[in-house]
Amino acid sequence: MASSLTKDSVSPGTPGSEKTFFGHPRGLATLFMTEMWERFSYYGMRALLPLYLVAPGGLHLSATTATAIYSVYLSLVYLLALPGGWFADRVLGPRRTVAVAGLVIMLGHLTLALPSSGTFYAGLGLVAIGSGLLKANISTMVGHLYDGPDDPRRDGGFTVFYIGINLGAFAAPLIIGTIGENVDWHLGFALAALGMALGLAQFLIGRRHLDARSDLVPTPLSAAEKVSTLRKAALWAGVAAVFYGIVGFSGHYTLNWILVPLTLIGLIIPIMVIARIKRDKELDQVEQSKMSAYIWFFIAAAVFWMIYDQGGSTLSIFAESSAENSVFGWEFPVSWYQSVNPVMIMALAPVFAWAWLAMNRSGREPSTIVKFASGLLLVGASFFLFLAPLSIAEGGHKAAALWLVAIYFVQTVGELTISPVGLSVTTKMAPAKYASQMMGVWFLAVTAGDATTGLLSIAGVGLNGMGVVALEATLAVIAGFAVYMYRNKVKSLMGDVR
């Protein structure tokens, strides 16, 4: 996509003479392109990951193990957004942290491109670390481009930025997926590295257009804190090295020695973070009440993401083995299904934004809690719909591709009632003391949901079985009805937030 930079026909130095990006600060072009290429690399690799894990020419793992690895990987990406934000706030600042993140992600994809199972897992770890560092900070830099929350261009700027995310996510499976599946898996991962390299180059070239605040370290570590942090990090790294050294040399090491601890961390840390904030005696009564309400939204989101993120694992693995991946006789790679969601997001997001405004003007806009309940009902309905192609496959036939497209469509509609609404309500309900941390807390709902999926897979639960799919769908629908039934209680806890 062209950057479409324009310049007003006035003399230099006069107000309004600076170059803009669709009427926004020029730095938005830098961040737009950086995020687009980073999402290109991330979603391309993600589309290939479960297929490579089960493929005879890949790691040839079972579907349950592949789903466990995929789910743990996703949970780590969102979990690491918290330390990623801390690292920028205390050590490097957002701009330098994003530059480091891009380099780490690129190295991770290059490591994935090496034909070795040992380096493959190291590559996954590097991509997760880099994504956590980047995710927490690039949106912060978009905010820095504007004059505070009341700048009338701010919402539009984030909308343009969001388009970049979905453009990258849409193109990645079509390009990286095609090369990875039809030519060579490792070449596909190498293309993901190329995408991140382009994003990093764009960022370094255009960094001069970013706001000066992006270079600042808001609360730098003191010398004593640096020493203490390094000592603790070295201690825990030493403990892990000794422990896994003993397990490895004793001959007892299996993949679960890594997966189980990471899965438990993905479940325990979100609970600990929420509990710590809730127990904070410095919060006043109104803030405590809002946090009690927020727990409802957090749990609802975790249930939603537990099912939704299986679109890249359970549904993808099903499509690879049991779907007729063709339209009107034209066959396409399985990874292309992962482009369905971003293209639908780009088509439907403006419609939803318009609909919420129109209903608000007439006093009929659903409350946040009703939107969340709708999202849960929709994601539950998507898995009830999944029962149809599962039944067709059990009968010995290939399920039509449109069944899967329909499932992704229902999930996308559900996403639009939960994801942007959840981001908004998080900022509105955050206690003043935790205003900068609450977005990371919101991401922990994704961590908890994916960690739950990982734990089920590690336990050997086949998530593409009709009984398990029906159970998950029922759980989401029950959760949706529960949220709706208690909507008045939650509204009262929310205070002045609507």
Side-chain angles (χ1 to χ4, degrees):
M1 181 174 178
S3 62
S4 184
L5 292 172
T6 60
K7 189 172 183 177
D8 300 331
S9 56
V10 291
S11 60
T14 59
S17 66
E18 69 278 2
K19 291 183 179 180
T20 66
F21 180 68
F22 294 113
H24 293 274
R26 193 176 180 185
L28 185 61
T30 297
L31 299 176
F32 175 97
M33 298 297 288
T34 302
E35 181 72 349
M36 185 187 76
W37 283 115
E38 187 275 331
R39 292 291 87 182
F40 175 85
S41 71
Y42 174 78
Y43 280 99
M45 184 278 287
R46 188 171 133 167
L48 285 183
L49 179 57
L51 303 175
Y52 173 75
L53 291 173
V54 299
L59 296 188
H60 206 192
L61 303 173
S62 66
T64 53
T65 302
T67 301
I69 293 170
Y70 180 87
S71 301
V72 169
Y73 165 71
L74 289 190
S75 73
L76 276 179
V77 167
Y78 288 93
L79 178 64
L80 290 170
L82 269 183
W86 177 91
F87 191 77
D89 285 345
R90 307 299 309 273
V91 182
L92 280 186
R95 185 182 67 78
R96 292 183 182 86
T97 300
V98 167
V100 170
L103 181 62
V104 172
I105 292 170
M106 184 180 70
L107 291 175
H109 288 307
L110 287 173
T111 306
L112 288 172
L114 299 174
S116 165
S117 60
T119 55
F120 178 83
Y121 294 114
L124 272 186
L126 286 171
V127 175
I129 291 168
S131 297
L133 287 170
L134 187 140
K135 181 178 288 292
N137 295 295
I138 196 163
S139 295
T140 300
M141 290 194 291
V142 174
H144 286 164
L145 297 172
Y146 300 96
D147 296 325
D150 296 327
D151 189 321
R153 302 170 299 168
R154 186 182 179 92
D155 286 352
F158 274 98
T159 300
V160 173
F161 181 70
Y162 195 60
I163 291 171
I165 292 173
N166 284 285
L167 279 175
F170 169 69
L174 304 181
I175 299 172
I176 294 175
T178 302
I179 297 298
E181 285 190 66
N182 295 340
V183 181
D184 181 81
W185 295 107
H186 299 287
L187 182 58
F189 293 129
L191 276 179
L194 175 61
M196 189 64 254
L198 290 171
L200 181 59
Q202 164 72 27
F203 183 76
L204 294 175
I205 292 169
R207 67 187 184 277
R208 66 185 184 278
H209 301 300
L210 301 177
D211 190 90
R213 286 173 291 176
S214 297
D215 280 325
L216 299 178
V217 181
T219 53
L221 292 172
S222 66
E225 286 175 321
K226 287 180 181 178
V227 171
S228 175
T229 302
L230 288 172
R231 185 183 295 119
K232 289 177 182 176
L235 174 63
W236 283 107
V239 169
V242 170
F243 175 78
Y244 283 103
I246 293 172
V247 172
F249 285 117
S250 66
H252 292 92
Y253 178 80
T254 65
L255 193 57
N256 280 351
W257 280 101
I258 291 288
L259 293 180
V260 172
L262 291 178
T263 303
L264 293 176
I265 287 170
L267 289 171
I268 293 169
I269 287 183
I271 295 171
M272 289 177 61
V273 170
I274 291 283
R276 179 174 62 85
I277 296 174
K278 191 72 183 69
R279 290 198 311 266
D280 191 335
K281 298 188 184 303
E282 292 183 16
L283 303 187
D284 61 32
Q285 188 174 354
V286 173
E287 290 175 323
Q288 285 284 359
S289 178
K290 288 180 180 179
M291 279 306 302
S292 296
Y294 189 76
I295 291 172
W296 282 81
F297 294 112
F298 186 90
I299 294 172
V303 173
F304 177 87
W305 294 115
M306 178 187 73
I307 295 176
Y308 177 91
D309 274 346
Q310 289 183 57
S313 54
T314 304
L315 285 177
S316 188
I317 292 171
F318 171 83
E320 192 275 331
S321 62
S322 304
E324 190 67 51
N325 303 308
S326 63
V327 177
F328 303 119
W330 175 67
E331 294 190 10
F332 56 87
V334 174
S335 54
W336 282 26
Y337 285 111
Q338 301 310 306
S339 289
V340 173
N341 171 260
V343 75
M344 287 181 174
I345 286 286
M346 288 188 285
L348 294 176
V351 176
F352 270 73
W354 171 84
W356 296 144
L357 282 174
M359 286 189 283
N360 182 268
R361 292 191 194 102
S362 62
R364 294 184 293 112
E365 183 184 2
S367 65
T368 299
I369 195 73
V370 171
K371 291 175 183 176
F372 264 70
S374 300
L376 285 169
L377 292 174
L378 284 164
V379 82
S382 76
F383 259 35
F384 277 126
L385 187 59
F386 188 22
L387 294 175
L390 283 172
S391 178
I392 292 169
E394 283 195 355
H397 304 286
K398 295 277 189 178
L402 288 179
W403 280 113
L404 296 175
V405 173
I407 294 168
Y408 286 119
F409 172 77
V410 175
Q411 290 187 345
T412 300
V413 175
E415 178 187 0
L416 288 170
T417 68
I418 280 197
S419 186
V421 177
L423 291 169
S424 177
V425 80
T426 297
T427 60
K428 292 176 182 176
M429 295 174 64
K433 180 179 178 179
Y434 297 99
S436 62
Q437 299 178 39
M438 282 300 287
M439 202 56 69
V441 174
W442 169 250
F443 288 140
L444 288 180
V446 188
T447 296
D450 286 322
T452 302
T453 302
L455 195 62
L456 291 171
S457 298
I458 291 169
V461 176
L463 295 178
N464 56 1
M466 290 189 66
V468 175
V469 169
L471 185 62
E472 288 185 86
T474 302
L475 171 66
V477 169
I478 290 173
F481 275 115
V483 167
Y484 182 78
M485 292 297 292
Y486 283 89
R487 65 192 182 282
N488 291 329
K489 176 181 179 180
V490 178
K491 283 181 184 177
S492 66
L493 290 170
M494 292 171 69
D496 58 354
V497 177
R498 285 293 174 263

